[in-house]
């Protein structure tokens, strides 16, 4: 089974005044990532290795890893699934990518999220960036175990 090992928790660095902020941020990110670690395999399949931690962070921030999550916006549209795809975005993508599934399918929504990222960038999730922007912390590292 694939596991996600976060170095800031397993082998914490010697804490100094200079790195205490980074260490605390790393611990916070580790907590977020542990909540969504069950989605690691699917995300690793569709995202480049360098982007997996950020993608996991977005899934945490958007849906807390709940594929049936639904958010209702002030304009009446809904954000649905792991990645919280908006009604309008999903309507635009469905014919463009010939999507035959709904947004609650974790594999399909992750494949679509990866396609968006690699064709248009991460900006589709800017509204939650305050939550996931820390997922670039250099202390976070991925290790694979069978």
């Amino acid at each position: 089974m694939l596991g996600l090992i976060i170095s800031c928790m397993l082998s914490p660095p010697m804490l100094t005044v200079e790195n205490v902020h980074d260490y605390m941020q790393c611990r916070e990110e580790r907590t977020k990532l542990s909540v969504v670690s069950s989605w690691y395999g699917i995300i690793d399949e569709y995202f480049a290795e360098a982007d997996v931690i950020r993608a996991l962070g977005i899934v945490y921030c958007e849906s807390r890893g709940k594929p049936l999550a639904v958010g209702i916006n002030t304009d009446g549209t809904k954000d649905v699934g792991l990645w919280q795809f908006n009604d309008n975005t999903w309507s635009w993508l469905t014919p463009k990518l010939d999507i035959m599934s709904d947004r609650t399918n974790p594999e399909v929504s992750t494949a679509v999220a990866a396609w968006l990222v690699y064709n248009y960038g991460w900006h589709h999730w800017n509204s939650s960036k305050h939550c996931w922007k820390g997922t670039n912390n250099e202390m976070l590292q991925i290790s694979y175990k069978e």
Side-chain angles (χ1 to χ4, degrees):
M1 182 156 110
L2 291 177
L4 183 63
I5 300 172
I6 309 298
S7 65
C8 63
M9 293 301 289
L10 298 178
S11 56
M14 167 100 65
L15 289 179
T16 65
V17 172
E18 291 80 27
N19 73 1
V20 72
H21 178 276
D22 288 343
Y23 178 73
M24 294 304 292
Q25 180 184 2
C26 184
R27 293 217 25 181
E28 181 180 321
E29 292 306 318
R30 188 261 181 223
T31 301
K32 290 178 183 178
L33 296 179
S34 68
V35 170
V36 295
S37 63
S38 62
W39 300 113
Y40 175 80
I42 291 173
I43 290 172
D44 184 53
E45 183 176 335
Y46 291 98
F47 283 85
E49 184 177 351
D51 297 328
V52 170
I53 290 176
R54 177 179 283 184
L56 284 166
I58 290 172
V59 166
Y60 172 83
C61 295
E62 292 289 340
S63 68
R64 300 301 190 261
K66 298 173 184 161
L68 301 178
V70 176
I72 300 175
N73 300 305
T74 56
D75 66 359
T77 61
K78 293 179 184 175
D79 300 332
V80 178
L82 284 179
W83 297 88
Q84 290 292 282
F85 281 108
N86 183 271
D87 291 337
N88 299 328
T89 303
W90 199 254
S91 293
W92 168 66
L93 290 169
T94 298
K96 185 176 192 68
L97 300 178
D98 197 28
I99 299 169
M100 304 301 286
S101 180
D102 63 33
R103 297 172 276 183
T104 60
N105 181 313
E107 186 156 3
V108 170
S109 65
T110 299
V112 171
W115 184 87
L116 271 176
V117 166
Y118 296 126
N119 286 280
Y120 294 95
W122 298 95
H123 74 276
H124 289 277
W125 296 276
N126 274 350
S127 64
S128 65
K129 191 172 186 175
H130 63 280
C131 175
W132 58 263
K133 68 181 178 178
T135 56
N136 290 328
N137 190 307
E138 291 178 13
M139 290 183 187
L140 292 172
Q141 296 177 8
I142 296 175
S143 178
Y144 304 92
K145 288 208 176 206
E146 294 283 334

